[in-house]
Amino acid sequence: MSKAFSGLDSWSRGIRIIVNNLQRDIKVDAETQEDMRKYMKQSITSEEEEKFKDQKKVINKISVYKTPLIGESSEILYHAYVILECNNGKYISMEKRTTGIDMQVSYCRDDVVVNFDGEKRVEVIPEEICFDTSEIEVNDFLEFFIDKKIYDIPYDLAKGKHCKEFAKRIFDYFANKQRYNY
């Protein structure tokens, strides 16, 4: 298997964050985990949210969605990504691609489920294949993501380090009862 196919050539350590389709290609190439933690927290919990000022930011629902890689539908060849619904009205998508981890944040669900970086993901509507409730605080999610260095595990199809494994790792850790089996 070539390095290009496994994604080892193009992996970018860090996370790309897209907020409300307005900021694009913001690369956080965190040399320290603290820089990444601070930037991710600012993206998810903006200071202008006065009505949630004294309330803990909690992830209420976690879902895994899929889009086909080939054609209109596939039970095996699909891209999986996680959607987090927060009590502050924000939706967050987390997904692993061959080039790195992408996180989108928006008050509009379609911005993160149906679209990627402001454009439609695919012509078919993404399918929610697994969901559960969650009671995890956003800070706990950030701690898990950063402390376990999930952003630092390169995409490698041959070693099982791909979008489905990424979605399973996040979903299974934070879902109350359900498990994602791909």
Side-chain angles (χ1 to χ4, degrees), residues 114-131:
V114 177
N115 299 332
F116 179 77
D117 200 9
E119 296 185 18
K120 266 189 138 173
R121 291 176 180 273
V122 290
E123 290 305 311
V124 297
I125 297 172
E127 180 184 348
E128 184 179 43
I129 55 176
C130 192
F131 68 91

Side-chain angles (χ1 to χ4, degrees), residues 24 26 46 58 64 80 85 91 126:
R24 293 193 176 24
I26 298 170
S46 56
V58 176
V64 176
E85 295 181 25
Y91 295 87

Side-chain angles (χ1 to χ4, degrees), residues 73-84:
S73 176
S74 177
E75 292 301 314
I76 299 170
L77 297 175
Y78 63 88
H79 173 65
Y81 55 101
V82 175
I83 300 294
L84 309 169

Side-chain angles (χ1 to χ4, degrees), residues 2 15 33 36 42 62 80-82 88 93 95 99 114 118-119 121 132 135 142 145 152 156 169:
S2 73
I15 184 168
Q33 291 181 350
M36 183 179 281
Q42 286 173 351
I62 183 166
Y81 55 101
V82 175
N88 65 353
S93 70
E95 52 197 292
T99 55
V114 177
E119 296 185 18
R121 291 176 180 273
D132 199 359
E135 297 157 5
L142 296 176
F145 184 81
D152 210 13
D156 192 333
R169 182 182 298 235

